[in-house]
Amino acid sequence: MSFSTVIATTSFVSVLTDGRHLSSGAKEIVNEEFCKVMDLTENRFITFGGSVKRIFSIIEMLQESIKEKSLYDSVIEIRNYLSTIENEDKVMLCFGEFKNNIPQLYTLNSNELEIQTHIPDPGELTSICVSGHKELFDRDFNDIIVEELSRLGAINPDTVLEAQSKLIDYIASKDKSVNTNKFKLLLPV
């Protein structure tokens, strides 16, 4: 499993991922410092989990596609690509961009091939977890984020990163395929 958490407000987007990369079949640790978030352009990003081989082919497609298309149109192209291949290489993806200074997040996984759009309402936050095994845990990931943010008080980039970090620590304590080495991306509006 890989784990990424994305939190968007109308003033910033925070992405935090773990750093463990496992071999195909999740049998061996390949890398403990593997960054699972990357900038695609100045205000567009991708975070991911699943088959690294498949993800790298998707990133290569994206880097060409987003030069000419909107991010959403590029995500549609990736969905269409995923629908044509064998489903053994599973991927979970979250894409983000700012349109008119409003964060827009798109999620896609190779199991369902359904693009979901997430846009935070003013004064609210949108929380997304990119993960392969939600059924392994006794608590909803988003509940943990909300509980931690309530405890911390104000919602700002520092408290959000702290809540995301606590969530990754919790997941890593329950699942050996996730570690506590973290990579972040913070995008202000």
Side-chain angles (χ1 to χ4, degrees):
M1 180 173 104
S2 293
F3 195 82
S4 300
T5 170
V6 181
I7 295 182
T9 71
T10 52
S11 57
F12 66 89
V13 174
S14 176
V15 182
L16 197 67
T17 77
D18 84 305
R20 185 163 284 164
H21 168 208
L22 298 175
S23 64
S24 294
K27 293 186 172 55
E28 296 177 23
I29 296 171
V30 175
N31 188 340
E32 293 282 28
E33 298 287 336
F34 185 70
C35 183
K36 300 169 190 167
V37 59
M38 68 180 290
D39 287 312
L40 297 170
T41 64
E42 185 178 322
N43 70 347
R44 294 175 173 172
F45 71 88
I46 181 175
T47 186
F48 49 82
S51 167
V52 171
K53 178 180 89 175
R54 184 71 59 214
I55 287 165
F56 283 143
S57 67
I58 288 168
I59 290 170
E60 190 174 308
M61 280 177 60
L62 262 177
Q63 289 175 328
E64 289 304 311
S65 176
I66 61 173
K67 291 176 185 173
E68 302 167 1
K69 298 178 181 178
S70 72
L71 183 57
Y72 186 78
D73 287 341
S74 296
V75 174
I76 290 171
E77 188 175 302
I78 289 163
R79 181 197 59 202
N80 294 341
Y81 161 73
L82 289 172
S83 72
T84 66
I85 59 174
E86 291 294 319
N87 205 16
E88 66 217 31
D89 290 336
K90 301 199 181 332
V91 295
M92 297 81 57
L93 307 159
C94 179
F95 309 85
E97 69 178 338
F98 289 99
K99 287 175 102 176
N100 302 319
N101 289 330
I102 298 171
Q104 313 255 326
L105 305 173
Y106 312 106
T107 55
L108 173 66
N109 75 57
S110 58
N111 286 339
E112 296 153 10
L113 297 174
E114 179 184 331
I115 300 168
Q116 295 183 354
T117 301
H118 311 269
I119 301 169
D121 291 325
E124 299 291 322
L125 62 82
T126 296
S127 176
I128 297 168
C129 295
V130 179
S131 167
H133 303 294
K134 284 189 178 183
E135 66 278 359
L136 295 178
F137 301 95
D138 56 351
R139 298 178 64 198
D140 181 83
F141 299 147
N142 291 319
D143 289 347
I144 295 169
I145 290 283
V146 168
E147 181 181 296
E148 189 60 24
L149 285 171
S150 295
R151 187 187 71 73
L152 293 169
I155 294 176
N156 59 54
D158 291 334
T159 58
V160 165
L161 278 168
E162 186 175 338
Q164 289 173 299
S165 182
K166 294 231 183 212
L167 176 59
I168 289 176
D169 291 345
Y170 170 76
I171 302 301
S173 75
K174 303 270 188 189
D175 185 337
K176 66 180 180 169
S177 69
V178 175
N179 70 12
T180 58
N181 299 335
K182 299 170 187 109
F183 294 87
K184 71 178 179 180
L185 176 68
L186 185 63
L187 299 172
V189 173

